[in-house]
Amino acid sequence: MNQQQAGDKWFQDSAARAIHEQQLEQVERFNGRAAMLGIVIGVLTEAITGQGIVHQIGLGPLVDGYAACSAKYLPFCF
């Protein structure tokens, strides 16, 4: 590999790394905004319906079962 080819490979590698970092930054920004939007929607729905976020996503029986464990009503209580 001569000097010109080595320089070209270095330039291509550094350009590819810069493009990857830029794409990663855009994806992470989108994920953060989507998460914030989801939390806001969950809190607004909780305010409207009176059901917590855990109940909204279908995990309410698990939380309710855990609360009932103090009375030893469920078989998986410790």
Side-chain angles (χ1 to χ4, degrees), residues 8-68:
D8 289 346
K9 181 171 178 6
W10 175 85
F11 182 75
Q12 289 173 353
D13 290 345
S14 97
R17 187 172 36 256
I19 290 170
H20 176 73
E21 289 174 1
Q22 182 182 18
Q23 290 172 342
L24 183 62
E25 181 180 328
Q26 291 173 348
V27 168
E28 288 297 325
R29 185 178 300 122
F30 177 79
N31 286 342
R33 289 176 179 169
M36 288 186 282
L37 184 62
I39 292 295
V40 168
I41 290 171
V43 168
L44 289 175
T45 305
E46 181 176 354
I48 293 169
T49 64
Q51 290 187 339
I53 292 176
V54 176
H55 284 83
Q56 292 174 28
I57 62 174
L59 297 176
L62 291 176
V63 174
D64 295 339
Y66 180 74

